[in-house]
Amino acid sequence: MGGDEKKANPEKATLRKHIRVSESENTSSERVGVKKLKRKVREDGEGPLKKKVKRRLDLLKYDRESASSSPDTGKENCNTSVEDVSKRRRKRKAAADGEGPTCNKTILMPEEVKDEARELKTEDLLVDAQTAYEAKYQQEHQLGEGGCGSVFAGYRKEDNLPVAVKHIPKDKVFCKHVDKNGKEISVEVAIMLKLAAGSSGSVGTSAPVSLLDWYDLGQELILVLERPVPSNDLTEYIELNGGSLQEEEARIILKQLVDAALDLEGQHIFHRDIKSENILIETGSDVPRVRIIDFGLSCFVKKRSSYHIFYGTSSYTPPEWHRRFTYRAGPTTVWQLGAVLYETLHRCTAFETTKFLEKQQTISNKLSEHCQDFLQMCLKEDPKQRLTLEELQLHPWLR
């Protein structure tokens, strides 16, 4: 193409500029009109949101049909002649002056219709979720707060069932999972739904606490969880019992933990953050019962998969992470179980991997021989030398 052909025709350039300005003004006015309509509907309080959405969608449908039937759609292509454009501009001017059937119409193009419909549908769903949650549950005082969100006590209004309400800001959902429909959801929700599907369906029958409901409110997730009453987390339970537990009671707790960890492993679930704060002890009977909470850093795992980004509590990281920045599900879980048992039996001592590796923390020789051996087999520096969960289950100290 020659140099003259590449030069822009000043007259056509000016015309295109006018056309773009006209289209921009139309689009702007259309969006302002939509926002004003939405605001007016909210202020007037005309009926429930579903009726508002239906009324708005009816208007959008009417405008779309009007746009498709109108000879002037507001678009020109590269083959439109100057004369044709001038005629269309005259038509637009006549409409603006009130001369013609389109003077009172807001013309929305198909993509704008879809965007508005999606926006209103999303808003509808968010309001419905909030309303459903508030209708079903009563939230009370705060139980705790961590890096992933806040937890509140509450109860289900229907039957006064105690619940824990976990609020998780969307930017604190660190681990996500793509479900079978291709939708990305919190991995905590995905895992707890799988656990619920594999249980008997009755609350309180599994070691992991049950997920009762969950709500996506756009900027945050709300998880409604079973709340065992009475119960304390293991850290509080140890403190209430003088700073350490008797070996027999510790054995009862560890046996349940090993069984629960094996069950999770059988369902290809890696908790990644087993620690005293994430273990509840039900205290309503003579024998303490273990419940596992907080699957926010968990993941689905394939056999012998290794990981190179650590999710969990730094003081419980396995030695292989410090040495090679890699870790696997089975050996890491065994290490963390050993750390929990260490804290249970050693008075007022918070376990730290680096201190243990540097011999600043040692296993007490006052423990029974089998108990010392169990701890040593969990806390081997080389992950290949640690016992597996199956081997721990058969260890003499647990039998």
Side-chain angles (χ1 to χ4, degrees), residues 1-7:
M1 183 180 289
D4 293 338
E5 293 175 334
K6 291 183 180 179
K7 292 181 179 179

Side-chain angles (χ1 to χ4, degrees), residues 39-76:
R39 186 161 57 249
K40 185 177 187 306
V41 170
R42 290 194 188 100
E43 290 171 354
D44 293 343
E46 298 174 2
L49 184 56
K50 290 185 178 179
K51 291 184 180 179
K52 298 175 189 176
V53 173
K54 183 178 184 301
R55 183 184 307 142
R56 182 63 190 140
L57 291 177
D58 288 342
L59 288 172
L60 295 174
K61 179 181 178 183
Y62 171 74
D63 288 337
R64 182 175 178 181
E65 290 172 350
S66 300
S68 64
S69 63
S70 173
D72 181 15
T73 61
K75 290 187 176 181
E76 283 96 17

